[in-house]
Amino acid sequence: MKATDPVSSSGHPRTLTHTARVLLVDDEPALRRFAARVLAEEGYTIHEAGDGAQALELLKESGGQIDVIVSDVVMPRLNGVELMRALSLSHPDIPIVLMSGYVTTDLDARGIAAPCGILNKPFSAERLVGEVRRCLGPKSATP
């Protein structure tokens, strides 16, 4: 009898076929731990930063070896919008998913444009995994 894969927090069987590297950026440790756990259970490699400045440092240290960034909008030092602007110059090919407690129209009014995706807080594990997969496209899983 074949054993089934354990079920991940997203409710799907855990296949661990993802090879993408995710950089989570949020100044709230509890949210970062939740997102890291959810994505790690899906097989992603997780890197964490407490703000945009730390994210840029980690990205530099990794040699740009990050496949997708999931970042909060409101953070100290360098916020998510400033991070996105900096990355549009240095790493324009890395998709960015912004997390925010603001509604999308508020983000538009603040001049925040063109992230790959926006996760409105609070969000579910399924929504997080879905946005990361969508933004990664074909990079999301191994062949």
Side-chain angles (χ1 to χ4, degrees):
M1 186 159 128
K2 184 179 176 184
T4 58
D5 291 330
V7 174
S8 70
S9 60
S10 66
H12 301 289
R14 190 180 309 158
T15 58
L16 301 180
T17 59
H18 304 289
T19 59
R21 295 152 301 210
V22 178
L23 175 54
L24 291 172
V25 188
D26 199 305
D27 60 324
E28 294 180 39
L31 183 78
R32 230 179 27 245
R33 280 192 304 270
F34 163 74
R37 180 181 50 79
V38 166
L39 294 171
E41 285 178 358
E42 294 294 321
Y44 295 104
T45 300
I46 308 302
H47 303 272
E48 296 181 40
D51 60 39
Q54 187 181 17
L56 289 175
E57 292 168 18
L58 286 171
L59 192 59
K60 184 177 179 181
E61 289 171 9
S62 77
Q65 298 298 309
I66 297 294
D67 297 302
V68 65
I69 296 171
V70 180
S71 176
D72 191 15
V73 172
V74 179
M75 296 179 290
R77 291 202 309 164
L78 188 72
N79 68 41
V81 176
E82 294 163 336
L83 173 62
M84 193 170 80
R85 287 184 186 138
L87 292 172
S88 72
L89 300 173
S90 64
H91 296 85
D93 296 333
I94 299 177
I96 301 170
V97 177
L98 291 178
M99 302 179 288
S100 178
Y102 296 100
V103 294
T104 305
T105 54
D106 289 343
L107 294 176
D108 290 339
R110 292 171 178 263
I112 301 169
C116 179
I118 296 176
L119 286 168
N120 290 317
K121 291 180 181 178
F123 51 83
S124 67
E126 294 83 8
R127 180 93 168 97
L128 172 62
V129 170
E131 279 300 297
V132 168
R133 283 184 184 155
R134 187 183 66 73
C135 287
L136 283 169
K139 288 194 244 178
S140 184
T142 58

